Amino acid sequence: MTDPARFPFPPAGDVRPPDAYHDVLHARAPHPVQLSSGQPALLVTRHEDVTAVLGDDRFSRAGYTELARPLFARKTESVLLATADAPDHTRRRRAILPAFTARQVRLLRPRLEALAEELLDELTGGAASGEADLVGGFTVPFPMRVICEVLGVPLEDGAMLRAEVDILMSTSGHTREKVAATQARMDDYFAALVADKRRAAAAGTPADDLLTRLALRPDDDPEQRLSDREVVSLGSGMLMAGYETTGNSFGMCVVLLLRHPTLAKTLREHPERVPATVEEMLRFSSLNNTGGAPHLVTEDAELGGCPVAAGRIVVPLTDTANRDPAVFTDPDTFDPERPDVASHVAFGYGRHLCLGAELARAELQIGILALLRRFEVLELAVPEEELDWRRTMFINGVWQLPVRWTAATVTTGTPATAAAPVPAEGPQG
Ligand code: HEM
Protein backbone atom coordinates (compact mmCIF):
# COMPACT_ATOMS: atom_id res chain seq x y z
CA MET A 1 0.00 0.00 0.00
CA THR A 2 1.38 3.45 -0.88
CA ASP A 3 1.75 6.08 1.84
CA PRO A 4 -0.91 8.83 1.82
CA ALA A 5 0.11 11.93 -0.13
CA ARG A 6 1.60 14.86 1.78
CA PHE A 7 -0.76 17.79 2.17
CA PRO A 8 -0.90 20.73 1.26
CA PHE A 9 -0.32 19.83 -2.38
CA PRO A 10 2.03 22.09 -4.39
CA PRO A 11 0.21 25.17 -5.71
CA ALA A 12 -0.56 25.23 -9.45
CA GLY A 13 1.17 28.57 -10.08
CA ASP A 14 -2.07 29.88 -11.55
CA VAL A 15 -5.49 31.13 -10.47
CA ARG A 16 -6.70 27.52 -10.53
CA PRO A 17 -6.24 25.17 -7.55
CA PRO A 18 -3.57 22.41 -7.50
CA ASP A 19 -4.15 19.86 -10.27
CA ALA A 20 -4.32 17.06 -7.68
CA TYR A 21 -7.61 18.57 -6.39
CA HIS A 22 -9.29 17.38 -9.56
CA ASP A 23 -8.50 13.73 -8.79
CA VAL A 24 -9.45 13.89 -5.10
CA LEU A 25 -12.76 15.58 -5.93
CA HIS A 26 -13.63 12.97 -8.53
CA ALA A 27 -12.88 10.16 -6.09
CA ARG A 28 -15.95 11.60 -4.21
CA ALA A 29 -15.08 9.99 -0.82
CA PRO A 30 -12.89 11.64 1.88
CA HIS A 31 -9.30 11.25 0.76
CA PRO A 32 -6.48 10.18 3.14
CA VAL A 33 -3.42 12.46 3.34
CA GLN A 34 -0.60 13.21 5.74
CA LEU A 35 -0.54 16.80 7.02
CA SER A 36 2.76 18.70 7.17
CA SER A 37 2.46 18.38 10.98
CA GLY A 38 2.87 14.61 10.40
CA GLN A 39 -0.70 13.66 11.31
CA PRO A 40 -3.01 11.60 9.12
CA ALA A 41 -6.13 13.43 7.93
CA LEU A 42 -8.99 13.11 5.47
CA LEU A 43 -9.60 15.70 2.74
CA VAL A 44 -13.27 16.53 2.41
CA THR A 45 -13.93 17.61 -1.16
CA ARG A 46 -17.60 17.53 -2.25
CA HIS A 47 -19.66 20.71 -1.83
CA GLU A 48 -22.24 18.87 0.28
CA ASP A 49 -19.60 17.44 2.65
CA VAL A 50 -17.53 20.64 2.88
CA THR A 51 -20.57 22.66 3.97
CA ALA A 52 -21.53 19.82 6.34
CA VAL A 53 -18.13 20.05 8.13
CA LEU A 54 -18.15 23.86 8.21
CA GLY A 55 -21.71 23.95 9.53
CA ASP A 56 -21.65 21.25 12.21
CA ASP A 57 -20.34 21.60 15.80
CA ARG A 58 -19.12 17.99 15.79
CA PHE A 59 -16.19 19.23 13.73
CA SER A 60 -13.99 21.33 16.04
CA ARG A 61 -11.31 23.92 15.21
CA ALA A 62 -10.23 24.32 18.84
CA GLY A 63 -10.04 20.53 19.20
CA TYR A 64 -7.54 20.36 16.37
CA THR A 65 -5.61 23.38 17.69
CA GLU A 66 -5.20 21.74 21.12
CA LEU A 67 -4.19 18.44 19.58
CA ALA A 68 -1.64 19.50 17.05
CA ARG A 69 1.23 21.81 16.60
CA PRO A 70 0.41 24.44 13.96
CA LEU A 71 0.93 23.34 10.36
CA PHE A 72 3.30 26.23 9.78
CA ALA A 73 5.50 28.44 11.89
CA ARG A 74 2.79 30.93 12.91
CA LYS A 75 1.39 30.70 16.44
CA THR A 76 -2.27 29.71 16.53
CA GLU A 77 -2.88 32.68 18.83
CA SER A 78 -2.26 34.87 15.79
CA VAL A 79 -5.45 33.57 14.15
CA LEU A 80 -7.79 33.90 17.11
CA LEU A 81 -10.99 33.55 15.13
CA ALA A 82 -10.13 30.80 12.66
CA THR A 83 -8.82 28.41 15.31
CA ALA A 84 -11.54 28.87 17.96
CA ASP A 85 -14.96 27.32 18.68
CA ALA A 86 -17.90 28.79 20.60
CA PRO A 87 -18.09 30.46 23.06
CA ASP A 88 -14.68 32.17 22.56
CA HIS A 89 -15.17 32.35 18.82
CA THR A 90 -18.68 33.84 19.13
CA ARG A 91 -17.55 36.46 21.67
CA ARG A 92 -14.61 37.60 19.54
CA ARG A 93 -16.63 37.60 16.33
CA ARG A 94 -19.45 39.60 17.93
CA ALA A 95 -16.97 42.34 18.93
CA ILE A 96 -15.82 42.88 15.34
CA LEU A 97 -18.91 42.15 13.30
CA PRO A 98 -20.57 45.63 13.57
CA ALA A 99 -17.72 47.21 11.59
CA PHE A 100 -18.37 44.93 8.58
CA THR A 101 -22.14 44.66 8.23
CA ALA A 102 -23.71 45.17 4.77
CA ARG A 103 -25.08 48.51 6.00
CA GLN A 104 -21.68 49.68 7.24
CA VAL A 105 -20.08 48.68 3.93
CA ARG A 106 -22.76 50.61 2.01
CA LEU A 107 -21.81 53.69 4.01
CA LEU A 108 -18.13 53.11 3.22
CA ARG A 109 -18.63 52.79 -0.56
CA PRO A 110 -18.14 56.49 -1.45
CA ARG A 111 -14.88 56.50 0.49
CA LEU A 112 -13.75 53.32 -1.29
CA GLU A 113 -14.52 54.90 -4.67
CA ALA A 114 -12.49 57.96 -3.76
CA LEU A 115 -9.53 55.85 -2.58
CA ALA A 116 -9.56 53.82 -5.81
CA GLU A 117 -9.49 57.00 -7.90
CA GLU A 118 -6.72 58.55 -5.77
CA LEU A 119 -4.54 55.47 -6.23
CA LEU A 120 -5.12 55.41 -10.00
CA ASP A 121 -4.25 59.13 -10.15
CA GLU A 122 -0.96 58.30 -8.38
CA LEU A 123 -0.34 55.30 -10.64
CA THR A 124 -0.86 57.15 -13.94
CA GLY A 125 0.58 60.49 -12.84
CA GLY A 126 -1.69 62.18 -15.38
CA ALA A 127 0.05 60.49 -18.38
CA ALA A 128 -1.92 59.29 -21.41
CA SER A 129 -0.26 55.88 -21.48
CA GLY A 130 2.45 53.92 -19.74
CA GLU A 131 3.47 50.75 -17.92
CA ALA A 132 3.01 49.94 -14.25
CA ASP A 133 2.93 47.11 -11.71
CA LEU A 134 -0.73 46.89 -10.69
CA VAL A 135 0.05 44.81 -7.58
CA GLY A 136 2.48 47.42 -6.23
CA GLY A 137 0.38 50.37 -7.36
CA PHE A 138 -3.24 49.36 -6.99
CA THR A 139 -4.52 45.87 -6.17
CA VAL A 140 -2.71 45.61 -2.81
CA PRO A 141 -2.48 49.29 -1.74
CA PHE A 142 -6.24 49.72 -2.27
CA PRO A 143 -7.43 47.17 0.36
CA MET A 144 -4.43 48.12 2.52
CA ARG A 145 -5.55 51.75 2.72
CA VAL A 146 -9.13 50.66 3.36
CA ILE A 147 -8.33 48.32 6.25
CA CYS A 148 -5.88 50.84 7.76
CA GLU A 149 -8.67 53.44 7.81
CA VAL A 150 -11.26 51.03 9.20
CA LEU A 151 -8.93 49.78 11.94
CA GLY A 152 -7.22 53.09 12.67
CA VAL A 153 -3.69 52.02 11.68
CA PRO A 154 -1.49 54.94 10.48
CA LEU A 155 -1.06 54.63 6.72
CA GLU A 156 2.61 55.60 6.91
CA ASP A 157 3.26 52.31 8.74
CA GLY A 158 1.80 50.34 5.80
CA ALA A 159 5.10 49.46 4.08
CA MET A 160 6.70 48.27 7.33
CA LEU A 161 3.60 46.20 8.19
CA ARG A 162 3.49 44.63 4.71
CA ALA A 163 7.09 43.45 5.09
CA GLU A 164 6.20 41.85 8.46
CA VAL A 165 3.04 40.23 7.05
CA ASP A 166 5.04 38.78 4.13
CA ILE A 167 7.08 36.87 6.74
CA LEU A 168 4.07 35.82 8.82
CA MET A 169 2.09 34.66 5.79
CA SER A 170 4.91 32.58 4.30
CA THR A 171 4.55 28.80 4.39
CA SER A 172 8.29 28.24 3.98
CA GLY A 173 11.46 30.20 3.56
CA HIS A 174 11.62 31.52 7.14
CA THR A 175 12.73 29.77 10.32
CA ARG A 176 10.33 29.32 13.23
CA GLU A 177 12.53 31.73 15.21
CA LYS A 178 12.23 34.44 12.57
CA VAL A 179 8.45 34.03 12.36
CA ALA A 180 8.17 34.12 16.17
CA ALA A 181 10.30 37.29 16.35
CA THR A 182 8.14 38.91 13.63
CA GLN A 183 4.98 37.93 15.49
CA ALA A 184 6.39 39.47 18.67
CA ARG A 185 7.19 42.75 16.85
CA MET A 186 3.69 42.78 15.35
CA ASP A 187 2.13 42.22 18.79
CA ASP A 188 4.28 45.02 20.27
CA TYR A 189 3.24 47.35 17.45
CA PHE A 190 -0.47 46.71 18.02
CA ALA A 191 -0.11 46.85 21.82
CA ALA A 192 1.46 50.32 21.49
CA LEU A 193 -1.26 51.40 19.04
CA VAL A 194 -4.02 50.20 21.38
CA ALA A 195 -2.35 52.12 24.24
CA ASP A 196 -2.33 55.27 22.03
CA LYS A 197 -6.02 54.80 21.27
CA ARG A 198 -6.80 54.52 24.99
CA ARG A 199 -4.72 57.62 25.80
CA ALA A 200 -6.51 59.64 23.10
CA ALA A 201 -9.86 58.51 24.48
CA ALA A 202 -8.83 59.39 28.04
CA ALA A 203 -7.84 62.86 26.79
CA GLY A 204 -11.37 63.27 25.42
CA THR A 205 -10.39 62.82 21.74
CA PRO A 206 -11.24 59.21 20.89
CA ALA A 207 -10.68 58.23 17.27
CA ASP A 208 -13.61 56.82 15.29
CA ASP A 209 -12.08 53.49 14.34
CA LEU A 210 -12.41 49.78 15.09
CA LEU A 211 -9.28 49.48 17.27
CA THR A 212 -10.53 52.30 19.50
CA ARG A 213 -13.91 50.59 19.84
CA LEU A 214 -12.25 47.27 20.70
CA ALA A 215 -9.83 48.96 23.12
CA LEU A 216 -12.65 50.77 24.92
CA ARG A 217 -15.10 47.87 24.94
CA PRO A 218 -16.92 47.86 28.27
CA ASP A 219 -15.65 44.93 30.32
CA ASP A 220 -18.42 44.79 32.95
CA ASP A 221 -20.01 41.81 31.19
CA PRO A 222 -17.67 38.84 31.59
CA GLU A 223 -19.47 37.03 28.77
CA GLN A 224 -18.42 39.70 26.30
CA ARG A 225 -15.05 40.76 27.74
CA LEU A 226 -12.02 40.83 25.44
CA SER A 227 -8.62 40.52 27.11
CA ASP A 228 -5.85 42.93 26.13
CA ARG A 229 -4.12 40.05 24.37
CA GLU A 230 -7.27 39.38 22.35
CA VAL A 231 -7.57 43.04 21.31
CA VAL A 232 -3.94 43.08 20.14
CA SER A 233 -4.22 39.76 18.27
CA LEU A 234 -7.53 40.69 16.68
CA GLY A 235 -5.98 43.98 15.53
CA SER A 236 -3.08 42.33 13.72
CA GLY A 237 -5.32 39.48 12.52
CA MET A 238 -7.82 41.90 10.98
CA LEU A 239 -5.05 43.83 9.25
CA MET A 240 -3.80 40.62 7.63
CA ALA A 241 -7.26 39.26 6.82
CA GLY A 242 -8.26 42.65 5.45
CA TYR A 243 -5.62 43.30 2.81
CA GLU A 244 -3.66 40.11 2.15
CA THR A 245 -6.74 38.17 0.99
CA THR A 246 -8.46 40.96 -0.92
CA GLY A 247 -5.26 42.33 -2.47
CA ASN A 248 -4.24 38.95 -3.85
CA SER A 249 -7.76 38.04 -4.87
CA PHE A 250 -7.99 41.38 -6.71
CA GLY A 251 -4.73 40.60 -8.56
CA MET A 252 -6.17 37.26 -9.68
CA CYS A 253 -9.43 38.93 -10.77
CA VAL A 254 -7.36 41.26 -12.97
CA VAL A 255 -5.44 38.27 -14.42
CA LEU A 256 -8.80 36.74 -15.36
CA LEU A 257 -10.01 40.05 -16.81
CA LEU A 258 -6.88 40.36 -18.96
CA ARG A 259 -7.25 36.76 -20.12
CA HIS A 260 -10.72 37.53 -21.47
CA PRO A 261 -10.49 40.81 -23.41
CA THR A 262 -14.14 40.68 -24.55
CA LEU A 263 -15.17 40.58 -20.88
CA ALA A 264 -13.71 44.08 -20.29
CA LYS A 265 -15.72 45.38 -23.24
CA THR A 266 -18.92 43.74 -21.95
CA LEU A 267 -18.41 45.13 -18.44
CA ARG A 268 -17.71 48.66 -19.72
CA GLU A 269 -21.03 48.52 -21.58
CA HIS A 270 -22.85 46.72 -18.74
CA PRO A 271 -21.29 47.76 -15.43
CA GLU A 272 -24.29 46.20 -13.67
CA ARG A 273 -22.74 42.82 -14.55
CA VAL A 274 -19.61 43.49 -12.46
CA PRO A 275 -20.98 42.02 -9.18
CA ALA A 276 -21.90 38.66 -10.78
CA THR A 277 -18.56 38.59 -12.60
CA VAL A 278 -16.73 39.16 -9.32
CA GLU A 279 -18.60 36.22 -7.76
CA GLU A 280 -17.49 33.97 -10.63
CA MET A 281 -13.90 35.25 -10.30
CA LEU A 282 -14.04 34.33 -6.60
CA ARG A 283 -15.46 30.87 -7.33
CA PHE A 284 -12.96 30.17 -10.08
CA SER A 285 -9.74 31.29 -8.38
CA SER A 286 -7.95 29.48 -5.59
CA LEU A 287 -6.83 31.79 -2.79
CA ASN A 288 -5.77 29.39 -0.05
CA ASN A 289 -2.48 27.67 -0.87
CA THR A 290 -2.70 25.62 2.32
CA GLY A 291 -6.05 24.04 1.48
CA GLY A 292 -8.33 24.66 4.44
CA ALA A 293 -8.65 24.61 8.22
CA PRO A 294 -8.17 21.21 9.87
CA HIS A 295 -11.01 20.11 12.21
CA LEU A 296 -11.07 17.39 14.86
CA VAL A 297 -14.07 15.06 14.61
CA THR A 298 -15.54 15.02 18.14
CA GLU A 299 -18.38 12.49 17.55
CA ASP A 300 -18.72 9.71 15.00
CA ALA A 301 -20.10 11.15 11.77
CA GLU A 302 -20.62 10.29 8.14
CA LEU A 303 -19.27 12.17 5.13
CA GLY A 304 -19.94 11.28 1.51
CA GLY A 305 -21.56 8.04 2.69
CA CYS A 306 -18.36 7.00 4.57
CA PRO A 307 -18.19 6.71 8.35
CA VAL A 308 -15.71 9.15 9.93
CA ALA A 309 -14.80 8.20 13.48
CA ALA A 310 -14.37 10.59 16.40
CA GLY A 311 -10.71 11.48 16.83
CA ARG A 312 -9.99 11.75 13.11
CA ILE A 313 -8.87 15.01 11.50
CA VAL A 314 -10.73 16.31 8.46
CA VAL A 315 -9.80 19.19 6.17
CA PRO A 316 -12.69 20.69 4.16
CA LEU A 317 -11.53 22.10 0.80
CA THR A 318 -13.63 25.03 -0.38
CA ASP A 319 -11.68 25.08 -3.66
CA THR A 320 -12.89 21.60 -4.63
CA ALA A 321 -16.42 22.42 -3.41
CA ASN A 322 -16.32 25.39 -5.81
CA ARG A 323 -15.62 22.99 -8.68
CA ASP A 324 -18.06 20.25 -7.73
CA PRO A 325 -19.99 19.24 -10.87
CA ALA A 326 -22.94 18.24 -8.66
CA VAL A 327 -23.44 21.98 -7.97
CA PHE A 328 -21.74 23.88 -10.82
CA THR A 329 -22.34 23.06 -14.49
CA ASP A 330 -19.04 22.69 -16.34
CA PRO A 331 -17.16 23.82 -13.22
CA ASP A 332 -13.71 24.20 -14.80
CA THR A 333 -15.01 26.82 -17.24
CA PHE A 334 -14.83 30.48 -16.24
CA ASP A 335 -18.31 31.76 -17.03
CA PRO A 336 -19.22 35.24 -15.71
CA GLU A 337 -22.85 34.56 -16.59
CA ARG A 338 -23.22 31.22 -14.81
CA PRO A 339 -26.60 31.01 -13.08
CA ASP A 340 -25.36 28.78 -10.24
CA VAL A 341 -22.55 31.06 -8.98
CA ALA A 342 -24.36 32.03 -5.75
CA SER A 343 -23.59 28.60 -4.27
CA HIS A 344 -19.84 29.26 -4.21
CA VAL A 345 -18.03 28.99 -0.90
CA ALA A 346 -15.04 31.25 -1.63
CA PHE A 347 -15.85 33.13 1.60
CA GLY A 348 -16.22 29.89 3.55
CA TYR A 349 -19.45 28.73 5.13
CA GLY A 350 -21.17 28.53 8.50
CA ARG A 351 -19.80 29.91 11.76
CA HIS A 352 -16.48 31.00 10.26
CA LEU A 353 -17.97 32.58 7.14
CA CYS A 354 -15.70 35.47 6.14
CA LEU A 355 -16.46 38.46 8.33
CA GLY A 356 -15.18 40.84 5.68
CA ALA A 357 -17.08 39.31 2.73
CA GLU A 358 -19.27 42.36 2.10
CA LEU A 359 -16.28 44.71 2.32
CA ALA A 360 -14.21 42.46 0.04
CA ARG A 361 -17.03 42.32 -2.52
CA ALA A 362 -17.35 46.12 -2.50
CA GLU A 363 -13.58 46.55 -2.89
CA LEU A 364 -13.36 44.11 -5.81
CA GLN A 365 -16.39 45.58 -7.59
CA ILE A 366 -15.25 49.19 -7.10
CA GLY A 367 -11.63 48.37 -7.97
CA ILE A 368 -12.55 46.59 -11.21
CA LEU A 369 -14.99 49.32 -12.25
CA ALA A 370 -12.35 51.98 -11.57
CA LEU A 371 -9.84 50.14 -13.80
CA LEU A 372 -12.37 49.74 -16.60
CA ARG A 373 -13.35 53.41 -16.47
CA ARG A 374 -9.80 54.69 -16.25
CA PHE A 375 -8.17 52.60 -18.99
CA GLU A 376 -9.24 52.14 -22.55
CA VAL A 377 -6.43 49.64 -23.05
CA LEU A 378 -5.11 47.44 -20.25
CA GLU A 379 -2.94 44.45 -21.10
CA LEU A 380 -0.12 42.38 -19.64
CA ALA A 381 3.31 43.89 -20.33
CA VAL A 382 4.98 40.45 -20.11
CA PRO A 383 3.96 37.01 -21.42
CA GLU A 384 1.55 35.45 -18.90
CA GLU A 385 3.93 32.49 -18.34
CA GLU A 386 6.42 34.95 -16.82
CA LEU A 387 4.10 35.98 -13.95
CA ASP A 388 5.67 35.14 -10.59
CA TRP A 389 3.09 33.23 -8.48
CA ARG A 390 3.11 33.25 -4.66
CA ARG A 391 3.85 29.54 -4.32
CA THR A 392 5.48 29.83 -0.90
CA MET A 393 2.72 31.88 0.74
CA PHE A 394 -0.53 31.00 2.56
CA ILE A 395 -2.42 33.19 0.11
CA ASN A 396 -2.18 32.61 -3.63
CA GLY A 397 -1.73 35.44 -6.13
CA VAL A 398 1.01 37.12 -8.13
CA TRP A 399 3.93 39.11 -6.71
CA GLN A 400 3.77 41.64 -9.55
CA LEU A 401 1.34 42.35 -12.35
CA PRO A 402 3.17 44.38 -15.02
CA VAL A 403 0.63 46.02 -17.36
CA ARG A 404 0.61 48.43 -20.29
CA TRP A 405 -2.18 50.93 -20.25
CA THR A 406 -3.74 53.71 -22.27
CA ALA A 407 -6.01 56.07 -20.41
CA ALA A 408 -9.61 56.43 -21.54
CA THR A 409 -10.19 59.75 -23.29
CA VAL A 410 -12.56 60.93 -20.61
CA THR A 411 -11.55 59.78 -17.15
CA THR A 412 -14.22 60.04 -14.53
CA GLY A 413 -11.92 61.39 -11.83
CA THR A 414 -13.16 61.29 -8.27
CA PRO A 415 -16.84 60.28 -8.24
CA ALA A 416 -19.26 62.91 -7.01
CA THR A 417 -20.23 60.76 -4.06
CA ALA A 418 -16.65 60.65 -2.79
CA ALA A 419 -16.89 63.85 -0.81
CA ALA A 420 -19.63 62.50 1.44
CA PRO A 421 -18.30 61.94 4.96
CA VAL A 422 -18.45 58.43 6.36
CA PRO A 423 -21.04 58.53 9.14
CA ALA A 424 -19.68 57.38 12.47
CA GLU A 425 -21.11 54.08 13.57
CA GLY A 426 -20.89 52.77 17.11
CA PRO A 427 -20.21 49.18 18.04
CA GLN A 428 -23.90 48.38 18.06
CA GLY A 429 -24.45 49.71 14.50
C1 HEM B 1 -11.54 38.43 -1.56
C2 HEM B 1 -11.30 38.63 -0.29
C3 HEM B 1 -11.53 37.62 0.78
C4 HEM B 1 -11.70 36.27 0.71
C5 HEM B 1 -11.75 35.39 -0.54
C6 HEM B 1 -11.85 35.80 2.07
C7 HEM B 1 -12.06 34.48 2.40
C8 HEM B 1 -12.28 34.03 3.68
C9 HEM B 1 -12.57 32.65 4.02
C10 HEM B 1 -12.66 31.49 3.04
C11 HEM B 1 -12.75 32.61 5.36
C12 HEM B 1 -13.12 31.39 6.20
C13 HEM B 1 -11.87 30.71 6.64
C14 HEM B 1 -12.16 29.60 7.62
O1 HEM B 1 -13.10 28.82 7.42
O2 HEM B 1 -11.41 29.55 8.58
C15 HEM B 1 -12.53 33.94 5.88
C16 HEM B 1 -12.59 34.26 7.21
C17 HEM B 1 -12.37 35.54 7.67
N1 HEM B 1 -12.19 36.68 6.93
FE1 HEM B 1 -12.09 36.79 4.92
N2 HEM B 1 -11.77 36.86 2.93
C18 HEM B 1 -11.59 38.00 2.18
C19 HEM B 1 -11.50 39.29 2.66
C20 HEM B 1 -11.61 39.66 3.97
C21 HEM B 1 -11.61 41.00 4.48
C22 HEM B 1 -11.55 42.26 3.61
C23 HEM B 1 -11.68 40.92 5.83
C24 HEM B 1 -11.71 42.00 6.88
C25 HEM B 1 -11.78 43.20 6.74
C26 HEM B 1 -11.75 39.53 6.19
C27 HEM B 1 -11.86 39.05 7.47
C28 HEM B 1 -12.05 37.73 7.79
C29 HEM B 1 -12.12 37.25 9.16
C30 HEM B 1 -12.00 38.08 10.41
C31 HEM B 1 -12.33 35.87 9.08
C32 HEM B 1 -12.47 34.89 10.24
C33 HEM B 1 -13.93 34.63 10.53
C34 HEM B 1 -14.15 33.59 11.60
O3 HEM B 1 -13.32 32.70 11.78
O4 HEM B 1 -15.18 33.71 12.26
N3 HEM B 1 -11.72 38.79 5.04
N4 HEM B 1 -12.26 34.80 4.82
Side-chain angles (χ1 to χ4, degrees):
M1 211 174 83
T2 51
D3 286 337
R6 297 265 300 174
F7 187 81
F9 301 144
D14 189 71
V15 298
R16 68 177 196 284
D19 295 330
Y21 279 19
H22 194 265
D23 301 333
V24 294
L25 172 62
H26 287 269
R28 311 301 289 163
H31 183 84
V33 287
Q34 187 189 25
L35 299 182
S36 52
S37 57
Q39 289 150 315
L42 292 171
L43 297 185
V44 179
T45 57
R46 300 187 322 151
H47 191 282
E48 185 185 340
D49 301 329
V50 167
T51 51
V53 170
L54 293 174
D56 185 332
D57 284 342
R58 290 177 300 170
F59 302 97
S60 162
R61 303 263 176 122
Y64 174 77
T65 311
E66 281 156 23
L67 180 89
R69 64 187 174 84
L71 291 195
F72 301 97
R74 272 166 79 197
K75 286 190 303 178
T76 48
E77 289 84 349
S78 68
V79 272
L80 276 185
L81 281 163
T83 55
D85 293 336
D88 286 338
H89 172 256
T90 328
R91 179 173 51 78
R92 292 166 187 161
R93 195 172 159 106
R94 199 174 285 149
I96 296 168
L97 198 58
F100 299 102
T101 58
R103 173 169 181 268
Q104 190 57 21
V105 171
R106 258 197 317 278
L107 296 171
L108 274 175
R109 270 184 175 259
R111 179 68 190 137
L112 302 187
E113 286 168 358
L115 279 176
E117 297 300 333
E118 259 172 45
L119 279 163
L120 290 180
D121 288 345
E122 286 169 25
L123 184 121
T124 59
S129 62
E131 287 195 10
D133 167 27
L134 273 192
V135 167
F138 191 48
T139 55
V140 171
F142 178 39
M144 182 67 164
R145 285 197 191 182
V146 173
I147 196 66
C148 282
E149 287 194 9
V150 170
L151 272 175
V153 171
L155 193 57
E156 59 271 24
D157 295 340
M160 176 276 291
L161 290 168
R162 270 185 69 179
E164 302 286 47
V165 172
D166 278 352
I167 297 170
L168 292 175
M169 296 296 277
S170 161
T171 54
S172 57
H174 298 292
T175 60
R176 277 182 189 277
E177 292 69 29
K178 183 165 179 189
V179 174
T182 309
Q183 183 72 63
R185 280 197 305 274
M186 194 77 153
D187 288 352
D188 288 349
Y189 173 86
F190 274 91
L193 195 54
V194 167
D196 281 351
K197 305 277 176 198
R198 287 198 172 119
R199 266 195 297 277
T205 52
D208 181 16
D209 56 45
L210 179 57
L211 266 186
T212 299
R213 289 196 288 274
L214 292 178
L216 300 181
R217 235 176 117 71
D219 60 3
D220 45 354
D221 176 0
E223 297 282 299
Q224 301 305 323
R225 189 176 297 159
L226 288 180
S227 68
D228 282 356
R229 188 183 70 80
E230 283 176 314
V231 174
V232 165
S233 293
L234 288 172
S236 66
M238 293 306 295
L239 177 85
M240 289 194 253
Y243 88 85
E244 179 84 346
T245 46
T246 316
N248 287 299
S249 178
F250 190 9
M252 289 197 284
C253 290
V254 177
V255 169
L256 284 168
L257 193 67
L258 300 184
R259 262 184 206 170
H260 300 88
T262 55
L263 178 61
K265 183 172 177 299
T266 307
L267 295 178
R268 273 192 198 99
E269 287 164 11
H270 297 281
E272 74 283 1
R273 293 194 193 165
V274 166
T277 302
V278 164
E279 296 305 309
E280 173 65 351
M281 288 169 161
L282 287 162
R283 181 198 73 86
F284 192 76
S285 48
S286 167
L287 195 60
N288 187 347
N289 274 340
T290 58
H295 293 66
L296 179 72
V297 184
T298 59
E299 284 175 41
D300 291 350
E302 199 182 278
L303 290 170
C306 301
V308 179
R312 298 223 60 169
I313 297 166
V314 293
V315 183
L317 300 184
T318 49
D319 280 339
T320 53
N322 277 340
R323 285 168 183 254
D324 186 343
V327 177
F328 303 103
T329 309
D330 203 2
D332 293 326
T333 300
F334 173 69
D335 174 7
E337 291 180 34
R338 70 168 50 251
D340 44 26
V341 74
S343 302
H344 80 72
V345 283
F347 288 116
Y349 182 86
R351 297 146 295 175
H352 292 272
L353 181 73
C354 176
L355 237 156
E358 288 309 310
L359 178 60
R361 286 188 161 109
E363 290 175 325
L364 295 176
Q365 293 165 9
I366 288 168
I368 287 171
L369 271 169
L371 284 174
L372 292 171
R373 272 200 309 260
R374 178 72 61 129
F375 301 119
E376 193 174 297
V377 177
L378 187 65
E379 57 193 11
L380 276 179
V382 296
E384 196 184 317
E385 312 76 73
E386 286 180 20
L387 290 179
D388 187 9
W389 288 85
R390 295 166 43 102
R391 295 170 192 268
T392 57
M393 304 297 284
F394 277 87
I395 301 291
N396 193 24
V398 284
W399 285 112
Q400 288 96 25
L401 193 50
V403 291
R404 239 185 324 267
W405 52 268
T406 305
T409 340
V410 183
T411 56
T412 53
T414 306
T417 49
V422 179
E425 180 119 354
Q428 304 310 317

